[in-house]
């Protein structure tokens, strides 16, 4: 999963969608998403791997067809420490360097939920799914929805985690109250990756520094153990499909919430 063929991205995003893919973000269940027989998706051929990418966030990504028949789960489920299950729906997938976007969400279809702690205990899992074997969550990107000079600034300002386990209690430490985007890359068998996306409102009490002091006290004085996942600032790779689709998603999130940074 470390190397992908370079995608020629000169064409603008297609407006066609497949009926089997509609309403994936608003479905009430987590049944596998059939991705075969995608007749309305256009195939994008791969140029030579040494060719420089022509990716332009203003143009978007073409809809491409992945060879094969795969069933990916519609949602990754984030269970918070209050026991609430929050669904993060699939937004795109890629395999062998080909990126396929699903139905482009509108402002009315954005999936939003609430979290209430700066230092959030949670479990990522799948529900009622028996399709492809999942490997792990390769990438998580969380960033604040606000005014930026460019989408690159929005991504570079975000918080990044990698290699996050499934079905284990972990802690992610957030930086910004209010609306945030969350984008996950989930890797499955045979090199398939699903991109999952939602918006959450961090409605945390007090300040981040107060929350960190309380966490330190609990670990030092109360011997509390937390599986804290180390975070970093993103290193954006131009030819990496995760960063390409993330730019498209963040442009939409900012636009639908009143902060247009893309054309």
């Amino acid at each position: 999963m470390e190397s992908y063929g370079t995608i020629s991205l000169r064409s603008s995003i297609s407006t066609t969608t497949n009926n089997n893919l509609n309403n994936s973000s608003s479905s009430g269940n987590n049944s596998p998403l059939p991705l075969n027989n995608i007749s309305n998706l256009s195939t994008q051929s791969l140029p030579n791997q040494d060719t420089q990418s022509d990716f332009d966030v203003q143009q978007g990504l073409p809809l491409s067809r992945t060879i094969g028949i795969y069933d990916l789960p519609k949602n990754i489920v984030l269970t918070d420490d209050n026991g609430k299950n929050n669904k993060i729906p699939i937004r795109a997938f890629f395999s062998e360097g080909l990126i396929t976007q699903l139905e482009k969400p509108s402002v009315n279809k954005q999936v939003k939920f609430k979290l209430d702690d700066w230092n959030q205990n949670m479990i990522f899992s799948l529900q009622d799914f028996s399709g492809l074997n999942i490997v792990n969550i390769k990438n998580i990107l969380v960033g604040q929805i606000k005014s930026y000079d460019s989408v690159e600034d929005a991504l570079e300002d975000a918080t990044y985690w990698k290699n996050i386990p499934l079905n284990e209690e972990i802690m992610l430490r957030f930086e910004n109250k209010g609306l945030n985007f969350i984008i996950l890359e989930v890797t499955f068998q045979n090199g398939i990756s699903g991109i999952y996306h939602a918006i959450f409102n961090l409605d945390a009490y007090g300040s981040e520094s107060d929350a960190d002091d309380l966490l330190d006290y609990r670990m030092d004085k109360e011997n509390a153990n937390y599986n804290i996942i180390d975070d970093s600032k993103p290193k954006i790779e131009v030819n990496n499909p995760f960063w390409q689709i993330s730019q498209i998603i963040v442009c939409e999130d900012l636009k639908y919430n009143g902060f247009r940074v893309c054309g």
Side-chain angles (χ1 to χ4, degrees), residues 7-261:
I7 308 171
S8 176
L9 297 170
R10 292 187 183 276
S11 61
S12 61
I13 186 169
S14 168
T15 57
T16 58
T17 54
N18 180 273
N19 290 335
N20 291 332
L21 304 181
N22 289 343
N23 301 321
S24 63
S25 64
S26 59
S27 174
N29 58 61
N30 291 292
S31 58
L33 178 65
L35 299 179
N36 58 316
N37 193 28
I38 308 178
S39 58
N40 288 334
L41 301 184
S42 59
T43 301
Q44 188 75 15
S45 60
L46 290 173
N48 185 285
Q49 182 131 359
D50 294 331
T51 303
Q52 185 176 359
S53 171
D54 295 318
F55 175 67
D56 184 343
V57 71
Q58 304 292 355
Q59 296 180 10
L61 292 171
L63 293 174
S64 304
R65 182 175 179 177
T66 300
I67 300 172
I69 299 174
Y70 308 122
D71 287 332
L72 301 183
K74 289 182 180 180
N75 300 287
I76 298 297
V77 179
L78 186 164
T79 303
D80 61 28
D81 52 9
N82 293 318
K84 182 178 179 181
N85 292 330
N86 304 287
K87 295 177 182 178
I88 304 176
I90 192 167
R91 177 65 176 79
F93 69 98
F94 58 85
S95 176
E96 300 177 355
L98 298 179
I99 301 175
T100 300
Q101 294 191 83
L102 306 188
E103 181 189 21
K104 184 176 179 179
S106 67
V107 63
N108 295 323
K109 290 186 176 181
Q110 286 192 311
V111 173
K112 297 180 180 179
F113 57 88
K114 186 178 80 168
L115 297 174
D116 59 9
D117 201 333
W118 291 100
N119 302 312
Q120 182 69 59
N121 278 313
M122 63 183 72
I123 298 174
F124 288 104
S125 62
L126 304 175
Q127 291 183 343
D128 304 321
F129 177 66
S130 59
L132 290 176
N133 292 326
I134 194 168
V135 177
N136 70 349
I137 300 176
K138 184 176 181 180
N139 299 306
I140 296 180
L141 188 70
V142 169
Q144 188 177 19
I145 295 178
K146 65 174 187 178
S147 177
Y148 296 94
D149 291 333
S150 68
V151 67
E152 290 82 7
D153 288 345
L155 266 61
E156 290 171 358
D157 189 57
T159 306
Y160 173 68
W161 297 266
K162 61 182 180 180
N163 299 325
I164 300 92
L166 278 163
N167 303 316
E168 295 182 19
E169 186 173 285
I170 63 169
M171 176 181 284
L172 299 186
R173 305 177 75 175
F174 300 127
E175 296 183 353
N176 300 293
K177 284 186 179 182
L179 290 182
N180 290 264
F181 59 81
I182 180 169
I183 306 171
L184 297 80
E185 177 187 347
V186 181
T187 55
F188 299 88
Q189 66 185 18
N190 299 330
I192 306 162
S193 287
I195 303 298
Y196 294 79
H197 159 250
I199 292 173
F200 68 90
N201 181 34
L202 183 62
D203 188 18
Y205 176 78
S207 68
E208 181 184 7
S209 60
D210 289 341
D212 289 345
D213 289 343
L214 178 59
L215 180 63
D216 290 341
Y217 176 84
R218 288 175 173 172
M219 290 191 296
D220 294 340
K221 304 299 183 181
E222 299 177 1
N223 294 320
N225 293 316
Y226 301 101
N227 185 12
I228 301 172
I229 306 298
D230 291 334
D231 60 67
S232 64
K233 287 300 175 183
K235 181 180 179 181
I236 301 172
E237 301 173 22
V238 174
N239 292 327
N240 185 301
F242 174 72
W243 294 111
Q244 291 175 345
I245 192 64
S246 291
Q247 290 185 61
I248 301 297
I249 291 171
V250 171
C251 279
E252 294 170 356
D253 283 351
L254 296 176
K255 180 181 72 172
Y256 292 150
N257 289 279
F259 305 105
R260 181 183 291 274
V261 299

